[in-house]
Amino acid sequence: SDERVVAGAFSVKAFPLPKNRVGVSFENITEKKKTEEELLNSTKYLKGIINASPSVIYTFDLQNYQVTYMSDKIMDLTGYSAEELLGFKNVLEEMVDRDDIPLLETQLKNMRQSLIEEISDFEFKIIKKDGHFMWVSIKAIAFERDENNMPVQIIGTFSEVTKKKEAELALKLSEENYRLIVEGQSDMIIKFNTNGVIQFASPSYCD
């Protein structure tokens, strides 16, 4: 007798036959199940990479200004869950500081018209769920293009840069205050390097 055992996955269907009989059909779905398992493993692997990233991963629809994917880390930064952001009809109007919206819209418009595969970098203020402001840096590259090769979706990272921006603004303010103090002095203020070359001279020196 044939004692071979066929290993695999099968779909079994029963159907009625005349005279109170029942028919049974078998369909070999081994390859289908194998593909599903490979897809599941690939999805788990990708999710593991995303969760291990220190930045938030997102995809964004350039035509409707809607978030199409957002990793779970977004809640730690903004207080919003990924599901809440996916529900926003226009995430720019919902989250971005109004003063920054025009510039951001211009940058996104430039991306929609770009045929070049390049990473764009934006910095702007957003409003967290608790009402506080936060500076963020977003890096983006075309993820999906239409029939004319124009970008319709982007993928990228999202991270907080509030401390960096505050330090930059503080330095700029300090430099401006220093300039005002120096320019208001009647005495000459001159800065030399070690070779005796003048690197800075107050306006009174030039008068």
Side-chain angles (χ1 to χ4, degrees):
S1 62
D2 191 346
E3 297 180 352
R4 290 178 299 173
V5 177
V6 179
F10 294 85
S11 173
V12 181
K13 296 180 181 179
F15 53 91
L17 291 174
K19 298 181 180 180
N20 295 323
R21 290 181 297 177
V22 177
V24 179
S25 67
F26 294 85
E27 179 187 359
N28 190 331
I29 58 171
T30 304
E31 288 302 316
K32 178 183 177 183
K33 295 298 290 184
K34 183 179 178 181
T35 301
E36 289 176 352
E37 289 177 2
E38 289 176 349
L39 179 60
L40 179 61
N41 290 335
S42 177
T43 302
K44 288 180 178 178
Y45 179 72
L46 180 59
K47 190 171 183 179
I49 293 175
I50 290 173
N51 290 337
S53 171
S55 300
V56 174
I57 309 296
Y58 72 92
T59 57
F60 182 77
D61 188 320
L62 287 171
Q63 296 175 312
N64 302 314
Y65 288 167
Q66 288 183 315
V67 175
T68 51
Y69 173 80
M70 187 72 71
S71 61
D72 294 337
K73 277 189 172 64
I74 190 66
M75 179 173 277
D76 296 335
L77 288 181
T78 67
Y80 287 105
S81 68
E83 290 74 19
E84 287 177 300
L85 291 179
L86 290 172
F88 287 163
K89 291 183 179 180
N90 185 321
V91 72
L92 269 65
E93 294 180 354
E94 297 280 356
M95 289 189 70
V96 178
D97 179 43
R98 289 189 177 186
D99 292 340
D100 289 343
I101 288 179
L103 177 59
L104 184 56
E105 286 182 330
T106 299
Q107 292 171 322
L108 292 174
K109 182 179 179 181
N110 291 338
M111 283 205 72
R112 287 203 304 270
Q113 298 172 346
S114 176
L115 295 172
I116 304 173
E117 293 291 346
E118 60 181 358
I119 297 176
S120 299
D121 193 350
F122 315 135
E123 289 187 350
F124 52 92
K125 295 191 297 296
I126 66 168
I127 306 169
K128 300 194 293 183
K129 193 172 184 178
D130 62 9
H132 290 90
F133 285 92
M134 175 177 73
W135 278 95
V136 296
S137 171
I138 283 186
K139 297 184 185 301
I141 192 168
F143 171 60
E144 181 182 343
R145 294 178 178 269
D146 62 17
E147 62 276 7
N148 298 315
N149 203 32
M150 294 290 106
V152 293
Q153 281 206 72
I154 55 176
I155 186 171
T157 61
F158 177 110
S159 56
E160 182 179 6
V161 292
T162 303
K163 291 183 178 179
K164 169 178 169 285
K165 294 299 293 187
E166 287 178 345
E168 290 176 354
L169 292 172
L171 178 61
K172 183 178 180 181
L173 181 60
S174 175
E175 291 175 342
E176 179 65 15
N177 289 337
Y178 176 77
R179 184 185 65 80
L180 292 174
I181 292 172
V182 170
E183 289 182 352
Q185 290 286 330
S186 58
D187 295 332
M188 290 187 297
I189 300 177
I190 305 173
K191 179 181 178 182
F192 297 89
N193 64 15
T194 54
N195 296 320
V197 177
I198 296 176
Q199 294 183 310
F200 172 81
S202 63
S204 57
Y205 176 80
C206 303
D207 292 340

